[in-house]
Amino acid sequence: MKEQRRNKMQLKCLDLRVLNRDVIKYIAMFTMLLNHIANIFLTPGTISHMLLVDIGYFTAPVMCFFLVEGYRYTHSKKRYALRLFTFAVISEFPFCLAFSETFNGVRGISFCGFNMIFTLFLCFCILLVREYVMDVGMKMLLIAGLVIFSLFSDWALLAPVFTLLFAWAGQDREKIKRAFVIGTALFAFSRFMPGADGAETLASLGEALLAAGGVALAGIAIVCFYNGKRMERGRLFSKWFFYLFYPGHLLVLGMIRIWGLV
């Protein structure tokens, strides 16, 4: 009996699940900021650009995972969907302001696709179709249409695929682990572009694996460190901070880009 208690205490001490949902989301917001700074201001091909961009790939899988979890626990799917759509609309101008290309030295603004919150809205619609459309053929057709529509938005195809993987995994820890492994492999494959010779192909493979590191870290954070809880205090602040931070930081970065401060 004492031996069993001792073993349980040892297992408890070895439990690494010390991060709640909000802490992981705050980490994701920070890595997203690094990714956006790199994409907007740093020179592609440099080590600093590649490092910050790759770290930023931590964010999207985390957002998809908590979207699925939020869908499962929300008291009102209608309000959740409306909130996503509203902030997608709010975020579109800051998104285009930040990521529009510069032509002939002119830093203007143009449509450059739909933002990530819009992609999450599409992912939420996929979850709705998955739950409420009973006809299998119609369900597959609608999901395929939403996935194709994501081609016009940030994290096209990959975010819907991650969402479907997490929805399939449910709350099964082993399935969640497999979902991240599959998602990481698919992400690496999407970044891999064979070159004209072996050296270029090998370099592309190395870059793809490094890029997938951010996705893999997201999996480690969720599978190994997430305790399934929320913050005890400041829940309302955190909830709205995550929505407001996205358009807010893009607006600031976009204004810096337009005014040529960096």
Side-chain angles (χ1 to χ4, degrees):
M1 194 68 178
K2 289 183 179 181
E3 186 65 28
Q4 288 180 344
R5 288 178 183 173
R6 190 181 298 113
N7 290 336
K8 286 181 180 179
M9 289 180 65
Q10 288 176 344
L11 287 172
K12 190 175 182 179
C13 290
L14 292 172
D15 191 353
L16 300 175
R17 288 175 286 183
V18 295
L19 299 180
N20 61 51
R21 182 195 317 172
D22 298 295
V23 169
I24 295 175
K25 282 186 176 182
Y26 278 117
I27 295 171
M29 294 302 100
F30 178 67
T31 58
M32 177 177 64
L33 177 62
L34 295 180
N35 178 283
H36 290 171
I37 289 173
N39 277 313
I40 296 169
F41 301 117
L42 300 185
T43 304
T46 60
I47 294 177
S48 57
H49 176 272
M50 185 165 51
L51 180 63
L52 295 186
V53 167
D54 291 351
I55 290 173
Y57 292 137
F58 175 94
T59 305
V62 168
M63 295 169 79
C64 291
F65 179 84
F66 287 122
L67 177 79
V68 173
E69 190 174 82
Y71 179 90
R72 187 183 304 125
Y73 293 124
T74 184
H75 296 297
S76 173
K77 293 181 174 63
K78 182 179 179 180
R79 285 203 298 269
Y80 199 152
L82 181 60
R83 190 160 59 244
L84 284 170
F85 183 76
T86 300
F87 277 93
V89 173
I90 291 171
S91 300
E92 189 57 25
F93 175 76
F95 180 77
C96 293
L97 184 70
F99 290 107
S100 294
E101 295 184 9
T102 300
F103 294 101
N104 298 322
V106 179
R107 303 184 180 190
I109 178 172
S110 60
F111 177 72
C112 53
F114 295 109
N115 61 81
M116 184 64 191
I117 298 185
F118 183 79
T119 312
L120 292 175
F121 172 72
L122 293 178
C123 292
F124 193 87
C125 291
I126 288 173
L127 296 175
L128 287 172
V129 170
R130 185 175 177 271
E131 180 178 4
Y132 291 109
V133 177
M134 296 298 105
D135 182 85
V136 176
M138 181 58 68
K139 180 183 294 189
M140 293 179 66
L141 184 64
L142 289 172
I143 289 176
L146 289 166
V147 171
I148 292 171
F149 194 24
S150 77
L151 288 170
F152 301 98
S153 60
D154 196 17
W155 260 71
L157 299 180
L158 287 167
V161 168
F162 271 103
T163 300
L164 287 169
L165 284 170
F166 296 142
W168 162 78
Q171 296 173 284
D172 187 309
R173 199 172 184 82
E174 287 303 314
K175 284 187 176 181
I176 293 172
K177 189 186 300 182
R178 286 199 289 271
F180 270 108
V181 170
I182 294 169
T184 302
L186 288 173
F187 182 81
F189 180 76
S190 72
R191 306 291 299 179
F192 175 61
M193 293 180 290
D197 54 40
E200 288 184 4
T201 299
L202 189 61
S204 178
L205 178 61
E207 290 176 4
L209 293 175
L210 286 173
V215 180
L217 287 174
I220 292 170
I222 297 296
V223 174
C224 299
F225 296 99
Y226 177 43
N227 59 18
K229 300 177 182 178
R230 294 186 60 190
M231 278 184 172
E232 293 296 326
R233 297 181 180 179
R235 290 184 178 184
L236 185 62
F237 171 83
S238 294
K239 174 183 176 179
W240 291 108
F241 175 82
F242 297 136
Y243 281 104
L244 293 169
F245 178 80
Y246 185 79
H249 89 281
L250 287 177
L251 183 62
V252 172
L253 295 179
M255 292 171 66
I256 293 173
R257 183 188 74 84
I258 289 290
W259 291 340
L261 298 179
V262 176

